[in-house]
Amino acid sequence: MSFIHQGNFGALSAGVAPHLQRAGLDSLTQLQQVVEATRAIQPVSLQFRTSKDRRGLALGALELKRGFEGILGDLFDAQNEVYFVSWAWDLSGEGPFLHPADGTSPGDFCLKMTAGDVRRLLGAGALLFPPRRVTAGIAVRIMLWESDHDAKHLGETITSVASTIATSKLSNLLQMVALGTAVTGATVALIAQAAAELSSAIGTVLKASSDDCVDFYEGYYPAEAPWTAGEERHEGASSAITLTRLGGG
């Protein structure tokens, strides 16, 4: 379960396929609305809405809050290294975008931080989802962890995360969407379940490395919702993150 939450999967942008339009259905704009309205006449093909502009996300800044040293033990001593793992996707059929990418040097994504530190990342920040026209919306997960391991061990952990994503049910379902297979309410439910299962699986991989979870962010950005370039801040119990919205009209 995420500690920091923004939006929900059901709010992503979708409608009924054009050839199935009927009175009352053409005004529906969210997955949850369409699925509920057509439940009695399943299966009904859905059509995901696409943004008119290019949209992307980056992590612009990270803050570790003061006052939690007692809860988290020695997590925030000067020698601890903090890193984050994120994966983001839309319903275009492309697989999830992973940060850090498999093969990235841990020196490029591990941050030495103490409680109260605020670290701004270079430029717009670490890229979480490359700017492009978005189908249905952007779904993003960010897990913040602390590691006491060496670079080799952390590199192996990221490789395991990449493999977990590549072989996940979510990746398989997104590939099915890319093939043009009719998407119904049942398909949407499977995608939502697969996304939750992937979060759990990645958490298991990271826990197996004996790393400590600091915070977990989950966010959804519908394709038809207003979008302007800029920053937004989200606060959890142990950290705060600043996301940079890229692109926009």
Side-chain angles (χ1 to χ4, degrees), residues 88-172:
W89 44 277
D90 67 354
L91 292 173
S92 63
E94 295 193 33
F97 185 87
L98 171 65
H99 178 91
D102 186 16
T104 302
S105 169
D108 292 336
F109 62 84
C110 269
L111 306 172
K112 289 187 177 182
M113 299 180 69
T114 59
D117 277 354
V118 178
R119 182 68 61 84
R120 290 207 63 91
L121 305 180
L122 294 176
L127 187 62
L128 308 181
F129 188 86
R132 66 184 188 224
R133 292 185 66 193
V134 173
T135 302
I138 301 171
V140 59
R141 309 286 200 281
I142 305 169
M143 286 185 175
L144 178 62
W145 291 77
E146 182 272 340
S147 176
D148 292 323
H149 298 294
D150 60 23
K152 180 176 183 296
H153 182 96
L154 186 50
E156 292 171 348
T157 298
I158 298 304
T159 295
S160 295
V161 170
S163 176
T164 299
I165 291 176
T167 58
S168 67
K169 290 181 182 178
L170 177 62
S171 291
N172 290 335

Side-chain angles (χ1 to χ4, degrees), residues 167-231:
T167 58
S168 67
K169 290 181 182 178
L170 177 62
S171 291
N172 290 335
L173 286 167
L174 294 180
Q175 289 176 9
M176 184 182 74
V177 170
L179 294 174
T181 305
V183 176
T184 66
T187 309
V188 168
L190 287 174
I191 292 172
Q193 180 181 353
E197 290 175 352
L198 178 56
S199 295
S200 178
I202 291 176
T204 297
V205 169
L206 297 173
K207 287 178 183 177
S209 296
S210 299
D211 291 343
D212 298 311
C213 184
V214 179
D215 260 329
F216 176 25
Y217 170 82
E218 178 180 1
Y220 298 91
Y221 298 85
E224 292 192 325
W227 185 272
T228 56
E231 294 187 340

